[in-house]
Amino acid sequence: MPSQIIIFKRKFFGGIRDSIGLMTNDDLALKVVQHLQANEGTNKVWGIEIEAVRVGYARLSMVIRPGMINGYGNIHGGMIFALADTAFAYACNSENLKTVGQAASIVYLSPARQGEVLIAEASMTAQAGRSGVASVQIKSQSDNRSIAHFQGQSRSIGGCVLEAPTN
């Protein structure tokens, strides 16, 4: 069975069963992320946009708006964390297995100001069983300056984000 046509992965007692369809794994990853985004309220409020998605990877962008600024005139760290956490969630769930964050940490490297566009690139770096680790780089789009580095640990909770169609 060629891996590029595996669509849905379902957990069962013996491991993972694959159902075949007409999409590539990356096409399915995009559909999963679009489904998650459509069901969230936060990224609509914050203006988070999907730039690119493939299995184990998500690239998002967000324009820094006035309501995101802290008392020093820089973007609030919680907004940077929220962008990174969203990219992390999308990368973790891109294989269509329901996955949640188990732990996360962030290092803030450089301030960013209102009007800048932040780019968050999340990549799964390790997976073993139901656990995974992802790295998220947050940079300024204008000068590629590193704004923050986020590392997250994930845990698969069973089931699919999108269920296989029934015929």
Side-chain angles (χ1 to χ4, degrees), residues 95-154:
E95 291 190 59
N96 198 32
L97 295 174
K98 287 183 183 177
T99 305
V100 296
Q102 187 174 24
S105 64
I106 193 164
V107 176
Y108 300 104
L109 301 168
S110 179
R113 298 238 181 232
Q114 182 178 323
E116 283 190 72
V117 177
L118 298 184
I119 303 294
E121 285 192 274
S123 296
M124 295 303 296
T125 57
Q127 290 179 288
R130 293 179 20 199
S131 297
V133 176
S135 176
V136 185
Q137 301 295 321
I138 301 92
K139 295 185 176 189
S140 174
Q141 185 179 49
S142 63
D143 59 6
N144 207 33
R145 183 175 80 258
S146 290
I147 304 298
H149 177 83
F150 172 107
Q151 183 169 323
Q153 293 83 45
S154 64

Side-chain angles (χ1 to χ4, degrees), residues 4 22 26 35 66 102:
Q4 67 269 19
L22 302 175
D26 290 342
H35 172 80
Q102 187 174 24

Side-chain angles (χ1 to χ4, degrees), residues 7-67:
I7 294 187
F8 295 94
K9 294 181 177 180
R10 293 188 178 208
K11 287 281 199 178
F12 70 106
F13 290 113
I16 296 177
R17 180 181 73 227
D18 299 319
S19 301
I20 303 302
L22 302 175
M23 286 187 269
T24 66
N25 288 339
D26 290 342
D27 290 337
L28 177 62
L30 179 59
K31 287 202 176 295
V32 166
V33 167
Q34 289 170 334
H35 172 80
L36 291 172
Q37 184 185 45
N39 289 300
E40 295 172 351
T42 53
N43 57 22
K44 293 172 191 157
V45 172
W46 299 328
I48 295 174
E49 298 289 332
I50 299 168
E51 300 280 326
V53 175
R54 60 183 178 267
V55 173
Y57 174 85
R59 177 184 162 106
L60 308 179
S61 64
M62 180 177 76
V63 177
I64 302 172
R65 299 188 313 237

Side-chain angles (χ1 to χ4, degrees), residues 81-97:
F81 190 96
L83 175 63
D85 188 52
T86 302
F88 166 57
Y90 291 173
C92 291
N93 282 278
S94 64
E95 291 190 59
N96 198 32
L97 295 174

